[in-house]
Amino acid sequence: MSPMVPHLDLESLGWTGDLDRQFTPLAAQGLEPGRVALEHMHIYRVLAGQGQVLARLAGRLRHGATSAIDYPAVGDWVALGFRPGEARASIHAILPRRSRFSRKVPGDQTQEQVVAANIDTVFLATGLDDNYNLRRIERYLVTAWESGAQPVVLLTKADLCGDADARRREAEGVSAGAPVLVTSARRGEGLGALGPYLTPGA
């Protein structure tokens, strides 16, 4: 039995009026919205209005899937059917994705697997120490832009860098308009700039 977290506020998870309108025909079928928080072997931990539940795919959705991309991923909004008195549910539909991060299915050269969906902002974090690599930042930026999410380059450990401003300017040169933030957790520097990206529902 999955633990219940009563009266979960879906808006804090990113539920919007547009999603509410999309969900109207599904609500008419007695289904409820939820957001996938974890997936393991096609068992899903979903955050729903009534709390946290475990869910599996309904038969029609499972049999209609033609590839890995048709299965729910972390971040997906889904339509849940509940049985009275149970903390388990069935996933009957996946709402359209605003963004998605995907990879090739292990061992398959062509099939795509979605690993996260509906991400608004993605932090590309790299330390300004021996881990710093501009070419890697460029590669990650390509993946982030292709996903549909807004990338933010986060240069950490500024206290270990002799010229953090020069590194910031260097990263801005390849960021294609993505913000570049410089932080030092040890010194508490630059952390306030993260605030706008960490608000509920963002």
Short mmCIF file of all heavy atoms in Angstrom, two decimals, residues 11-15 35 98 118-121 195-202:
data_model
loop_
_atom_site.label_atom_id
_atom_site.label_comp_id
_atom_site.label_asym_id
_atom_site.label_seq_id
_atom_site.Cartn_x
_atom_site.Cartn_y
_atom_site.Cartn_z
N GLU A 11 -1.46 22.65 -8.22
CA GLU A 11 -0.89 23.88 -8.77
C GLU A 11 0.55 24.06 -8.35
O GLU A 11 1.37 24.62 -9.08
CB GLU A 11 -1.72 25.10 -8.35
CG GLU A 11 -3.08 25.15 -9.02
CD GLU A 11 -3.84 26.42 -8.70
OE1 GLU A 11 -3.29 27.28 -7.99
OE2 GLU A 11 -4.99 26.56 -9.16
N SER A 12 0.91 23.58 -7.16
CA SER A 12 2.30 23.67 -6.71
C SER A 12 3.21 22.78 -7.53
O SER A 12 4.43 22.94 -7.53
CB SER A 12 2.41 23.30 -5.22
OG SER A 12 2.15 21.91 -5.04
N LEU A 13 2.62 21.82 -8.27
CA LEU A 13 3.39 20.92 -9.13
C LEU A 13 3.39 21.39 -10.57
O LEU A 13 3.96 20.72 -11.44
CB LEU A 13 2.82 19.50 -9.06
CG LEU A 13 2.80 18.84 -7.68
CD1 LEU A 13 2.13 17.49 -7.77
CD2 LEU A 13 4.21 18.71 -7.13
N GLY A 14 2.71 22.53 -10.85
CA GLY A 14 2.71 23.06 -12.21
C GLY A 14 1.40 22.94 -12.95
O GLY A 14 1.33 23.24 -14.15
N TRP A 15 0.33 22.50 -12.27
CA TRP A 15 -0.98 22.40 -12.92
C TRP A 15 -1.48 23.80 -13.28
O TRP A 15 -1.40 24.73 -12.49
CB TRP A 15 -1.96 21.71 -11.99
CG TRP A 15 -3.30 21.42 -12.61
CD1 TRP A 15 -4.47 22.07 -12.40
CD2 TRP A 15 -3.60 20.36 -13.52
NE1 TRP A 15 -5.48 21.50 -13.12
CE2 TRP A 15 -4.98 20.44 -13.83
CE3 TRP A 15 -2.84 19.35 -14.12
CZ2 TRP A 15 -5.61 19.57 -14.71
CZ3 TRP A 15 -3.46 18.47 -14.99
CH2 TRP A 15 -4.84 18.58 -15.28
N ARG A 35 0.64 13.71 -11.48
CA ARG A 35 1.93 13.90 -12.14
C ARG A 35 2.89 12.81 -11.70
O ARG A 35 3.04 12.54 -10.51
CB ARG A 35 2.51 15.28 -11.81
CG ARG A 35 3.66 15.65 -12.72
CD ARG A 35 4.04 17.11 -12.63
NE ARG A 35 4.91 17.45 -13.77
CZ ARG A 35 5.55 18.60 -13.90
NH1 ARG A 35 5.43 19.54 -12.97
NH2 ARG A 35 6.30 18.82 -14.95
N ARG A 98 4.84 19.30 -23.01
CA ARG A 98 5.38 20.60 -23.42
C ARG A 98 6.86 20.50 -23.77
O ARG A 98 7.37 21.27 -24.58
CB ARG A 98 5.21 21.64 -22.31
CG ARG A 98 3.78 21.92 -21.90
CD ARG A 98 3.71 23.13 -20.99
NE ARG A 98 4.73 23.13 -19.95
CZ ARG A 98 4.62 22.51 -18.78
NH1 ARG A 98 3.53 21.80 -18.52
NH2 ARG A 98 5.59 22.57 -17.89
N ASN A 118 7.87 17.64 -19.53
CA ASN A 118 7.25 18.86 -18.99
C ASN A 118 8.18 19.61 -18.04
O ASN A 118 7.76 20.15 -17.02
CB ASN A 118 5.93 18.52 -18.29
CG ASN A 118 4.94 17.89 -19.25
OD1 ASN A 118 4.76 18.36 -20.37
ND2 ASN A 118 4.32 16.79 -18.84
N ILE A 119 9.45 19.64 -18.41
CA ILE A 119 10.44 20.40 -17.65
C ILE A 119 10.48 21.81 -18.20
O ILE A 119 10.70 22.02 -19.39
CB ILE A 119 11.84 19.76 -17.76
CG1 ILE A 119 11.80 18.28 -17.33
CG2 ILE A 119 12.85 20.54 -16.95
CD1 ILE A 119 11.36 18.05 -15.91
N ASP A 120 10.26 22.81 -17.35
CA ASP A 120 10.29 24.20 -17.80
C ASP A 120 11.71 24.75 -17.84
O ASP A 120 12.11 25.44 -18.77
CB ASP A 120 9.44 25.08 -16.89
CG ASP A 120 7.97 24.69 -16.95
OD1 ASP A 120 7.48 24.37 -18.04
OD2 ASP A 120 7.32 24.68 -15.89
N THR A 121 12.48 24.45 -16.81
CA THR A 121 13.85 24.97 -16.69
C THR A 121 14.79 23.83 -16.35
O THR A 121 14.49 23.00 -15.49
CB THR A 121 13.94 26.04 -15.58
OG1 THR A 121 13.01 27.08 -15.84
CG2 THR A 121 15.35 26.61 -15.50
N GLY A 195 16.48 32.06 -7.12
CA GLY A 195 15.13 32.18 -6.58
C GLY A 195 14.01 32.16 -7.60
O GLY A 195 13.02 31.40 -7.45
N PRO A 196 14.08 32.96 -8.68
CA PRO A 196 12.98 33.00 -9.64
C PRO A 196 12.71 31.65 -10.32
O PRO A 196 11.61 31.43 -10.83
CB PRO A 196 13.45 34.05 -10.67
CG PRO A 196 14.42 34.91 -9.91
CD PRO A 196 15.11 33.98 -8.96
N TYR A 197 13.71 30.78 -10.34
CA TYR A 197 13.53 29.48 -11.00
C TYR A 197 13.01 28.41 -10.05
O TYR A 197 12.69 27.30 -10.48
CB TYR A 197 14.87 29.00 -11.57
CG TYR A 197 15.49 29.95 -12.55
CD1 TYR A 197 16.55 30.78 -12.17
CD2 TYR A 197 15.03 30.03 -13.86
CE1 TYR A 197 17.14 31.65 -13.08
CE2 TYR A 197 15.60 30.90 -14.77
CZ TYR A 197 16.66 31.71 -14.38
OH TYR A 197 17.23 32.59 -15.27
N LEU A 198 12.90 28.72 -8.75
CA LEU A 198 12.58 27.71 -7.75
C LEU A 198 11.26 27.99 -7.03
O LEU A 198 11.03 27.49 -5.96
CB LEU A 198 13.71 27.64 -6.70
CG LEU A 198 15.11 27.33 -7.27
CD1 LEU A 198 16.15 27.38 -6.17
CD2 LEU A 198 15.13 25.99 -7.99
N THR A 199 10.38 28.76 -7.66
CA THR A 199 9.09 29.07 -7.04
C THR A 199 8.12 27.91 -7.26
O THR A 199 8.23 27.16 -8.24
CB THR A 199 8.51 30.35 -7.64
OG1 THR A 199 8.40 30.20 -9.07
CG2 THR A 199 9.39 31.55 -7.33
N PRO A 200 7.14 27.72 -6.38
CA PRO A 200 6.16 26.64 -6.56
C PRO A 200 5.44 26.77 -7.89
O PRO A 200 5.05 27.87 -8.30
CB PRO A 200 5.19 26.86 -5.39
CG PRO A 200 5.99 27.57 -4.36
CD PRO A 200 6.94 28.47 -5.13
N GLY A 201 5.32 25.65 -8.59
CA GLY A 201 4.63 25.64 -9.87
C GLY A 201 5.49 26.04 -11.04
O GLY A 201 5.06 25.94 -12.19
N ALA A 202 6.73 26.49 -10.78
CA ALA A 202 7.60 26.93 -11.87
C ALA A 202 8.26 25.74 -12.55
O ALA A 202 8.35 24.69 -11.99
CB ALA A 202 8.68 27.87 -11.35
#
